[in-house]
């Protein structure tokens, strides 16, 4: 039955409470304890029932309760205080304004397929979305001129149910956008903005919603609108996150990338910088170039130079299979008219998303993003190395270490994830500056001054709270894992005094959730030891199409039941930010068991470590650069194995040994006051070393200094004087590509190697045939370093050879270097194109190495 008319009903608040609405419509409250407690005080049971959604709360509060609060002097005063803090936060000067000159200002647009801001807004699936949400929060804290763009999903990610047989099933529920902290964007005549995105059969229309994350605006596109009534399938494009089939995915990514750029343009937002969080939004690079073509009346390749200068790409996927690819047939269907609009051929368009023409059947979103971006990064030091190895074919003439993919290690938004009572303890011993100067390593050293009994008492509180949370959660879940008989004695499940191990993450096979269960008999002995009991809390979802991941969940559930371990191991289904928050605060150990080097970064362990929950992990992702022997535990080392079976066997044995010989004895080694002194010392070391280094406050500063500001400067320089710089760079590259084959080496002389010694100069002379190019276009380098067992150079250094002049039409270059260490070494020479407007000399992809004569 369709209604005659549709209208929106909102809460009507008394004048003394009107500030509640302003607070409700900004997610700032979710990292401000006072603001969160304000909403909780209205009706705590309803607050929890509505998943801490302040807008829904205000829409459900009876008028009588509002009237009572209106005359509650204490509540009104607290509201005024919290609102004043909010206004002060919004209006305050921040790091960006104080550190960056106004000449460097420029809008930054951050694109992501998912954003995890808070449990009340289920627009995320896991780590990628949580990272994006934390990025926006720190961008707000630091005052960056950043807006974000994503999709608004009618049903979000799936809800997980585990049957009595242990099999994961999925269900979906509809989000009510009008009961969320969202605003539908409208023009001056109060008519909603409508974005138009071309698809093969018709135009897709989308509304734009805005969520405010502190000072940062997040714009979200929604295709489930009446304008798409003639094409019902288009209404479903933003139906589910990671739902549907391959065609659904390309439609979503067209709406995100192309539609996202169109939405910003419609709102009058013209960013200088586009930052793509994973390859899903890579089509934004093409629409950006198209807009430049239109606005500046130029060709695609000139526009691409300007677009390229302001493009930043963060990759999160360390395995080739995890990178988004589309069949070329699908690209033909959706982009045949688009490449015509760009003024390029089909072959030129496809090459943008292909490593080479040897595999013409697939179009890679990661390759498109890598080609179209000027700054590229992995999300940990190890992942940066893995990414350079994976994508070296795009820069095949360069050494792996020179591939222009850098790394900025992920972080977490500290104020969102720190436990409230722990934050109060930090205030006492660090002062409140830790909230705004999170990255300050010296300040965090004062954690050592916290008396062990105080830190332990706070931790025990959250462990008890976690046990209560888990029991209540299991009790309230309908059907599924536990029988009614088991629910009847739920208070026997878990023990607030036992060593609690947490494992919560996506159930992908490489994450090896079953590593701990390889020897269930040995594990059971640990769990059921009456003198030193251990318990495990598990959570996490497998992708709906990942049957292997579902089988891992089922095998663990079967093992728990078969060995009667329900009291000691619980699985909290339908993993969410609320479950994550309870676990990282209350667990003693945070377990991470990926198959190295398949974990790009991981952030859940950072959240746990900041709360004094010790990380126990394979040396992968961020842990590879943070473990120091005192701040957690390492499973195995960095060994290479002959097979995955050998690796699983060895690392499971290592895990059992660490538990039996280190973790359990240390946890239960108590002083006369019942405090595990050595354990608490590790907790302090964890907080001191990990919190400042792995925060988004540090991470966003890194993006700003290393990428945003240089990109803003480069974009500005190429844009000036009617794209003079972009045109110059485009014309120069055209010349280079046309004439590079005419560049070659003549005579090369390396002198001083017969009696080489440390500190003694080795001189290099190189004769270069410049062909149709000038010596100013060329960078000639001596490349030298150690020789490995295969006879290849490794750990190389480079010395620029300077131009000396022409002799008989040949350019001469010379230079010298000195070896700083002994042993077998080698030297060669290379030439590559260079230009002052290039971000990286490797970007153009051309390099010629001297051949043995």
């Amino acid at each position: 039955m369709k209604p005659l008319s549709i209208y929106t009903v909102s809460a009507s608040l008394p004048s003394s409470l009107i500030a509640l609405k302003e607070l409700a419509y900004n997610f700032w409250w979710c990292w401000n304890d006072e603001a969160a407690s304000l909403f909780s005080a209205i009706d705590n049971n309803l607050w929890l029932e509505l998943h801490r959604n302040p807008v829904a709360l205000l829409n459900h509060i009876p008028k009588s309760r509002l009237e009572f609060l209106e005359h509650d002097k204490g509540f009104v005063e607290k509201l005024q205080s919290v609102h004043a803090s909010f206004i002060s936060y919004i209006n305050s000067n921040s790091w960006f304004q104080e550190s960056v000159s106004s000449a460097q200002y420029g809008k930054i647009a951050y694109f992501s397929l998912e954003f995890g801001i808070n449990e009340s807004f289920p627009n995320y699936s896991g780590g990628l979305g949580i990272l994006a949400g934390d990025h926006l929060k720190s961008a707000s804290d630091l005052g960056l001129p950043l807006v974000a763009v994503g999709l608004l999903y009618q049903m979000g990610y799936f809800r997980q149910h585990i049957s009595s047989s242990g099999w994961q099933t999925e269900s979906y529920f509809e989000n009510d956008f009008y009961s969320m902290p969202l605003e539908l964007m409208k023009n001056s005549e109060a008519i909603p903005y409508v974005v138009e995105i071309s698809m093969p059969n018709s135009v897709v229309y989308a509304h734009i919603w805005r969520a405010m994350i502190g000072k940062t605006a997040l714009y979200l596109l929604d295709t489930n609108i009446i304008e798409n009534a003639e094409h019902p399938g288009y209404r479903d494009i933003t139906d589910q996150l990671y739902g549907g089939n391959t065609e659904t995915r390309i439609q979503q990514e067209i709406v995100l990338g192309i539609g996202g750029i169109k939405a910003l343009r419609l709102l009058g937002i013209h960013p200088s910088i586009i930052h793509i969080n994973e390859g899903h939004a890579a089509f934004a690079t093409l629409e950006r170039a198209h807009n430049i073509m239109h606005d500046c009346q130029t060709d695609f390749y000139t526009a691409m130079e300007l677009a390229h200068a302001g493009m930043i790409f963060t990759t999160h996927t360390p395995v080739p299979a995890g990178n988004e690819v589309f069949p070329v047939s699908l690209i033909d269907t959706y982009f045949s008219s688009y490449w015509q609009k760009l003024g390029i051929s089909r072959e030129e368009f496809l090459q943008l998303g292909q490593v080479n023409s040897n595999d013409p059947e697939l179009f890679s979103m990661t390759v498109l993003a890598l080609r179209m971006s000027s700054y590229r990064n992995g999300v940990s030091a190890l992942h940066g190395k893995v990414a350079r190895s994976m994508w070296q074919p795009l820069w095949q003439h360069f050494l792996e270490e020179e591939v222009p993919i850098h790394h900025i290690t992920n972080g977490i938004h500290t104020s969102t994830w720190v436990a409230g009572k722990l934050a109060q303890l930090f205030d006492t011993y660090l002062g409140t500056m830790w909230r705004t100067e999170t990255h300050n390593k010296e300040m965090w050293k004062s954690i050592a001054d916290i008396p062990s009994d105080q830190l332990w008492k706070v931790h025990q509180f959250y462990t008890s709270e976690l046990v209560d949370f888990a029991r209540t959660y299991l009790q309230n879940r309908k059907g599924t894992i536990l029988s009614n008989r088991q629910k009847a004695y739920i208070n026997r499940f878990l023990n607030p005094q036992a060593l609690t191990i947490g494992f919560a993450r996506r159930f992908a096979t490489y994450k090896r959730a079953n590593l701990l269960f390889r020897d269930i008999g040995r594990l059971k002995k640990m769990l059921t030891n009456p003198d030193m009991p251990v318990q495990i809390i598990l959570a996490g979802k497998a992708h709906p199409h990942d049957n292997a991941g579902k089988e891992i969940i089922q095998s663990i559930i079967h093992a728990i039941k078969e060995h009667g371990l329900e009291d000691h191991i619980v699985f909290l289904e339908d993993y969410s930010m609320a479950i994550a928050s309870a676990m990282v605060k209350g667990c003693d150990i945070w377990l991470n068991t990926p198959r190295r080097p398949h974990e790009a970064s991981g952030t859940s362990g950072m959240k746990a470590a900041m709360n004094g929950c010790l990380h126990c992990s394979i040396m992968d992702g961020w842990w590879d650069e943070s473990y120091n022997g005192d701040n957690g535990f390492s499973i195995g080392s960095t060994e290479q194995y002959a097979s995955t079976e050998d690796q699983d066997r060895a690392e499971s044995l290592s895990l059992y040994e660490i538990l039996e010989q280190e973790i359990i004895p240390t946890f239960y080694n108590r002083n006369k006051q019942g405090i595990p002194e050595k354990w608490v010392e590790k907790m302090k070391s964890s907080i001191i070393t990990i919190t400042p280094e792995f925060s988004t406050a540090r991470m966003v500063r890194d993006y700003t200094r290393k990428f945003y500001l240089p990109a803003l400067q480069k974009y500005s320089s190429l844009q000036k004087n009617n794209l003079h710089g972009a045109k110059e760079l485009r014309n120069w590259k055209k010349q280079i590509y046309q004439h590079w084959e005419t560049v070659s080496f003549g005579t090369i002389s390396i002198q001083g190697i017969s009696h080489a010694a440390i500190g003694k100069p080795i001189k290099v002379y190189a004769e270069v045939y410049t062909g149709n190019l000038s010596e100013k276009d060329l960078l000639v380098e001596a490349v030298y370093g150690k020789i490995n067992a295969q006879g290849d150079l490794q750990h190389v250094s480079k010395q620029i050879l300077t131009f000396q002049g022409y002799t008989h039409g040949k350019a001469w270059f010379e230079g010298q270097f000195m070896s700083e260490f002994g042993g077998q070494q080698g030297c060669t020479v290379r030439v590559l194109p260079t230009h002052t407007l290039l971000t990286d000399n490797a970007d153009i992809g051309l390099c010629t190495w001297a051949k043995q004569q």
Side-chain angles (χ1 to χ4, degrees):
M1 180 67 68
K2 299 293 185 182
L4 289 175
S5 59
I6 298 176
Y7 48 91
T8 303
V9 178
S10 60
S12 178
L13 300 176
S15 59
S16 62
L17 303 180
I18 199 69
L20 281 171
K21 184 170 286 190
E22 185 177 1
L23 293 172
Y25 276 90
N26 192 306
F27 279 100
W28 171 82
W29 67 264
C30 75
W31 70 91
N32 183 283
D33 289 340
E34 288 297 307
S37 67
L38 184 72
F39 289 113
S40 174
I42 295 173
D43 187 328
N44 186 58
N45 291 332
L46 187 58
W47 173 242
L48 297 177
E49 181 184 328
L50 295 172
H51 306 287
R52 297 179 175 87
N53 180 339
V55 174
L57 178 73
L58 296 182
N59 287 344
H60 283 77
I61 290 296
K63 185 178 180 181
S64 58
R65 177 61 177 162
L66 292 174
E67 290 174 347
F68 175 83
L69 292 172
E70 181 184 13
H71 297 96
D72 183 334
K73 184 178 179 181
F75 182 85
V76 172
E77 287 178 351
K78 183 174 182 179
L79 170 58
Q80 292 171 344
S81 174
V82 170
H83 185 251
S85 295
F86 171 69
I87 296 301
S88 175
Y89 173 87
I90 295 298
N91 293 330
S92 63
N93 284 333
S94 48
W95 171 79
F96 189 85
Q97 285 76 22
E98 293 173 353
S99 305
V100 178
S101 69
S102 59
Q104 293 177 288
Y105 283 12
K107 190 71 77 175
I108 304 156
Y110 180 89
F111 281 67
S112 182
L113 197 61
E114 53 175 298
F115 288 91
I117 310 297
N118 176 257
E119 64 181 282
S120 63
F121 182 37
N123 217 55
Y124 63 95
S125 72
L128 180 73
I130 306 300
L131 172 78
D134 282 4
H135 192 114
L136 302 194
K137 292 171 185 176
S138 279
S140 172
D141 292 341
L142 297 171
L144 266 68
L146 183 145
V147 299
V149 180
L151 301 182
L152 184 61
Y153 303 100
Q154 191 67 64
M155 294 192 285
Y157 201 47
F158 71 91
R159 304 299 298 270
Q160 180 194 49
H161 304 274
I162 306 297
S163 70
S164 57
S165 68
W167 191 253
Q168 172 185 293
T169 58
E170 299 85 33
S171 65
Y172 296 86
F173 72 98
E174 290 189 359
N175 288 312
D176 178 6
F177 302 150
Y178 292 93
S179 292
M180 290 179 166
L182 301 171
E183 179 188 0
L184 180 62
M185 300 304 292
K186 300 177 181 179
N187 62 22
S188 58
E189 298 175 353
I191 298 172
Y193 286 107
V194 178
V195 182
E196 299 182 6
I197 309 119
S198 295
M199 293 283 182
N201 298 324
S202 177
V203 171
V204 169
Y205 301 98
H207 280 169
I208 309 167
W209 296 76
R210 184 179 68 183
M212 290 304 301
I213 294 82
K215 303 174 187 179
T216 303
L218 166 59
Y219 296 102
L220 301 156
L221 276 69
D222 167 26
T223 66
N224 186 20
I225 59 176
I226 194 66
E227 286 84 349
N228 290 321
E230 292 185 11
H231 296 275
Y234 288 167
R235 297 191 71 157
D236 295 337
I237 291 175
T238 56
D239 194 23
Q240 300 170 15
L241 173 58
Y242 302 128
N245 54 26
T246 304
E247 189 153 14
T248 307
R249 289 298 291 274
I250 197 169
Q251 290 175 345
Q252 285 188 339
E253 296 180 14
I254 289 170
V255 172
L256 173 62
I258 296 176
I261 294 290
K262 285 177 174 286
L264 292 177
R265 198 171 175 87
L266 195 59
L267 296 171
I269 299 170
H270 302 283
S272 301
I273 305 301
I274 303 290
H275 183 177
I276 298 173
N277 188 42
E278 196 53 282
H280 309 119
F283 292 137
T285 64
L286 302 175
E287 184 64 15
R288 181 101 184 280
H290 177 254
N291 284 345
I292 294 169
M293 290 174 63
H294 176 272
D295 294 345
C296 302
Q297 292 298 295
T298 192
D299 65 285
F300 171 72
Y301 287 104
T302 301
M304 191 173 80
E305 292 300 338
L306 182 57
H308 180 270
M311 292 299 306
I312 293 158
F313 171 51
T314 299
T315 175
H316 296 258
T317 311
V319 290
N323 289 271
E324 187 90 78
V325 294
F326 293 115
V328 166
S329 59
L330 209 53
I331 298 296
D332 283 336
T333 299
Y334 281 87
F335 285 93
S336 58
S337 62
Y338 196 87
W339 63 62
Q340 294 175 27
K341 192 163 61 172
L342 295 177
I344 60 177
S345 68
R346 175 180 182 272
E347 290 69 27
E348 288 174 300
F349 186 91
L350 293 179
Q351 285 172 6
L352 294 172
Q354 295 175 333
V355 176
N356 54 56
S357 57
N358 295 330
D359 184 14
E361 301 303 316
L362 295 175
F363 184 94
S364 168
M365 296 296 281
T366 303
V367 172
L368 175 62
L370 288 169
R371 285 199 193 282
M372 295 291 287
S373 296
S374 194
Y375 299 87
R376 316 161 188 89
N377 72 286
V379 289
S380 68
L382 179 59
H383 179 227
K385 183 178 180 182
V386 171
R388 287 188 289 276
S389 176
M390 278 178 61
W391 300 111
Q392 187 180 15
L394 285 172
W395 292 274
Q396 58 183 317
H397 300 297
F398 289 83
L399 301 171
E400 182 179 302
E401 62 199 66
E402 295 180 300
V403 170
I405 301 175
H406 309 283
H407 84 273
I408 292 179
T409 302
N410 283 344
I412 60 168
H413 186 251
T414 309
S415 296
T416 294
W417 294 102
V418 67
K421 291 183 181 299
L422 194 60
Q424 293 172 10
L425 208 56
F426 292 170
D427 286 343
T428 300
Y429 289 91
L430 278 69
T432 59
M433 287 296 290
W434 69 269
R435 298 176 184 269
T436 54
E437 299 295 323
T438 313
H439 65 293
N440 187 328
K441 295 180 183 180
E442 285 299 314
M443 176 184 63
W444 286 97
K445 291 179 180 179
S446 297
I447 290 292
D449 298 333
I450 300 176
S452 294
D453 61 331
Q454 290 188 32
L455 183 58
W456 185 244
K457 182 179 179 181
V458 168
H459 182 68
Q460 279 192 310
F461 171 84
Y462 283 106
T463 301
S464 296
E465 195 172 70
L466 171 60
V467 168
D468 290 342
F469 173 89
R471 289 171 177 172
T472 302
Y473 191 86
L474 291 167
Q475 181 74 44
N476 292 340
R477 295 292 292 181
K478 296 179 181 178
T480 65
I481 301 178
L482 299 183
S483 66
N484 290 332
R485 181 183 64 82
Q486 289 169 329
K487 288 185 177 182
Y489 62 86
I490 194 74
N491 287 335
R492 284 172 43 187
F493 281 47
L494 304 178
N495 173 2
Q497 305 304 316
L499 172 68
T500 304
I501 299 173
F503 183 96
R505 60 200 68 248
R506 183 163 55 92
F507 270 73
T509 52
Y510 79 86
K511 291 180 182 284
R512 298 189 298 179
N514 49 2
L515 194 70
L516 183 59
F517 296 86
R518 281 181 66 94
D519 188 341
I520 193 69
R522 189 172 178 179
L523 178 62
K524 182 175 182 177
K525 188 176 179 181
M526 282 186 266
L527 298 178
T528 57
N529 182 343
D531 298 321
M532 295 187 291
V534 179
Q535 60 196 13
I536 303 169
I537 299 178
L538 303 164
K541 299 177 178 180
H543 188 278
H545 299 154
D546 184 7
N547 284 334
K550 292 181 181 183
E551 287 169 359
I552 291 176
I553 295 175
Q554 187 176 49
S555 70
I556 292 173
I557 299 298
H558 281 181
I560 293 170
K561 292 183 176 181
E562 183 180 347
H563 292 85
L565 296 173
E566 293 94 334
D567 295 8
H568 306 278
I569 309 174
V570 299
F571 189 102
L572 303 181
E573 57 187 329
D574 202 29
Y575 188 38
S576 66
M577 289 182 76
I579 293 174
S581 180
M583 289 182 66
V584 298
K585 294 170 185 175
C587 288
D588 301 300
I589 287 290
W590 195 260
L591 186 61
N592 186 40
T593 53
R595 182 172 286 115
R596 177 186 163 98
H598 291 171
E599 184 84 290
S601 177
T603 55
S604 60
M606 302 173 189
K607 297 160 192 158
M610 176 189 67
N611 283 290
C613 171
L614 299 180
H615 201 223
C616 177
S617 176
I618 300 294
M619 295 294 285
D620 201 4
W622 73 281
W623 193 235
D624 186 63
E625 61 194 87
S626 61
Y627 174 65
N628 66 8
D630 296 320
N631 58 358
F633 303 93
S634 167
I635 303 169
S637 185
T638 58
E639 305 96 326
Q640 298 291 318
Y641 296 91
S643 68
T644 56
E645 176 58 30
D646 288 347
Q647 184 177 11
D648 292 351
R649 185 188 306 110
E651 291 177 346
S652 67
L653 289 173
S654 174
L655 175 55
Y656 290 135
E657 289 171 2
I658 289 167
L659 285 167
E660 292 167 341
Q661 298 173 20
E662 294 186 57
I663 292 175
I664 297 173
T666 305
F667 182 82
Y668 283 105
N669 182 15
R670 309 294 173 95
N671 63 18
K672 293 180 180 180
Q673 289 73 42
I675 309 298
E677 286 283 359
K678 290 185 178 179
W679 188 271
V680 176
E681 287 305 309
K682 278 187 170 289
M683 290 172 63
K684 291 180 182 180
S685 178
S686 172
I687 297 169
I688 289 169
T689 59
I690 292 171
T691 306
E693 189 66 26
F694 298 96
S695 70
T696 44
R698 185 272 311 155
M699 182 190 82
V700 173
R701 278 178 164 88
D702 282 352
Y703 275 112
T704 301
R705 292 172 176 142
K706 295 179 181 180
F707 290 173
Y708 295 160
L709 294 181
L712 282 167
Q713 185 176 4
K714 181 60 65 67
Y715 184 87
S716 176
S717 67
L718 294 187
Q719 186 185 40
K720 287 178 181 176
N721 302 322
N722 191 29
L723 275 61
H724 175 77
K727 292 173 182 176
E728 178 186 340
L729 190 55
R730 159 60 181 149
N731 291 332
W732 176 81
K733 283 186 177 181
K734 188 175 180 179
Q735 286 288 106
I736 293 295
Y737 285 126
Q738 286 178 346
H739 300 296
W740 187 250
E741 290 185 357
T742 66
V743 177
S744 63
F745 281 103
T747 302
I748 295 174
S749 175
I750 302 175
Q751 300 178 3
I753 58 176
S754 58
H755 298 91
I758 295 174
K760 183 178 179 181
I762 293 174
K763 297 183 178 181
V764 182
Y765 303 87
E767 181 184 61
V768 180
Y769 296 94
T770 60
N772 299 96
L773 301 177
S774 162
E775 79 282 352
K776 295 178 181 178
D777 299 321
L778 307 178
L779 177 66
V780 182
E781 294 178 319
V783 181
Y784 58 97
K786 285 188 174 182
I787 301 294
N788 65 16
Q790 290 73 42
D792 296 321
L793 283 168
Q794 62 178 9
H795 308 304
V796 302
S797 297
K798 288 166 283 188
Q799 175 62 51
I800 295 174
L801 306 184
T802 57
F803 173 66
Q804 301 299 311
Y806 282 92
T807 304
H808 305 299
K810 296 166 288 190
W812 278 93
F813 296 80
E814 68 176 52
Q816 66 179 33
F817 63 89
M818 290 184 287
S819 296
E820 297 179 358
F821 47 82
Q824 190 176 38
Q825 297 174 44
C827 175
T828 187
V829 180
R830 71 179 184 183
V831 58
L832 58 156
T834 187
H835 195 287
T836 56
L837 293 176
L838 284 176
T839 301
D840 190 296
N841 283 320
D843 272 344
I844 198 168
L846 296 174
C847 179
T848 297
W849 294 81
K851 297 177 181 179
Q852 288 187 340
Q853 298 174 341

